[in-house]
């Protein structure tokens, strides 16, 4: 069973930094497991923040480019989102996501419960 648990959210002032963590377990090593971060602000739809593909390549949303970066520590089964120069508009609940695909039996779209980031001006 895939399990994801985010941590590291906090209240910070604009210009500050945070590093979010996502501890994951239960990933099938025979699947291609693409990992992402999403966020959802109050009254808004969930939006994509960053992606790490199976080959290790990464992308970030244009709204956070140059400020956020995604990384992964396979030895501890942890996905990270490093956030610098935070802005009030970054305030949201942040979710870790894994999307297994590839071999037969790989499927699903999993999210953690989220961690809250609040940025004050």
């Amino acid at each position: 069973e895939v399990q994801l648990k985010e941590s590291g959210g906090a209240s910070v002032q604009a210009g500050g930094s945070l590093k979010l963590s996502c501890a994951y377990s239960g990933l099938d090593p025979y699947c291609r497991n693409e990992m992402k971060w999403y966020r959802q602000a109050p009254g808004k739809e969930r939006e994509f923040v960053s992606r790490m593909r199976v080959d290790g390549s990464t992308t970030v949303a244009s709204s956070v480019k140059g400020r956020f970066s995604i990384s992964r520590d396979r030895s501890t089964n942890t996905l990270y989102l490093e956030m610098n120069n935070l802005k009030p508009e970054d305030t949201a609940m942040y979710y870790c996501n894994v999307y297994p695909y590839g071999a037969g039996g790989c499927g699903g779209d999993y999210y953690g419960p989220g961690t809250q980031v609040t940025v004050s001006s």
Side-chain angles (χ1 to χ4, degrees):
E1 178 187 3
V2 175
Q3 292 189 331
L4 307 169
K5 182 67 168 76
E6 304 91 340
S7 61
S11 295
V12 298
Q13 291 199 325
S17 299
L18 284 174
K19 187 171 184 176
L20 305 184
S21 300
C22 172
Y24 59 85
S25 63
L27 300 189
D28 187 333
Y30 292 101
C31 299
R32 293 176 172 266
N33 297 296
E34 185 167 285
M35 304 201 74
K36 302 173 195 164
W37 286 96
Y38 286 86
R39 67 185 182 185
Q40 187 167 18
K44 295 188 176 181
E45 293 192 355
R46 189 171 295 187
E47 66 170 345
F48 165 78
V49 176
S50 187
R51 168 192 292 115
M52 176 169 282
R53 296 182 181 85
V54 174
D55 64 1
S57 62
T58 63
T59 56
V60 294
S62 57
S63 59
V64 303
K65 197 167 188 176
R67 300 187 297 121
F68 290 15
S69 64
I70 188 172
S71 62
R72 181 178 179 179
D73 186 340
R74 292 178 183 271
S75 67
T76 60
N77 288 352
T78 308
L79 184 74
Y80 297 101
L81 182 69
E82 185 154 6
M83 309 185 294
N84 298 307
N85 190 20
L86 283 159
K87 303 177 180 181
E89 52 264 41
D90 295 319
T91 295
M93 185 72 80
Y94 283 72
Y95 299 92
C96 177
N97 166 266
V98 62
Y99 177 72
Y101 68 97
C106 296
D109 199 10
Y110 302 92
Y111 289 87
T115 187
Q116 178 68 38
V117 172
T118 303
V119 185
S120 58
S121 57

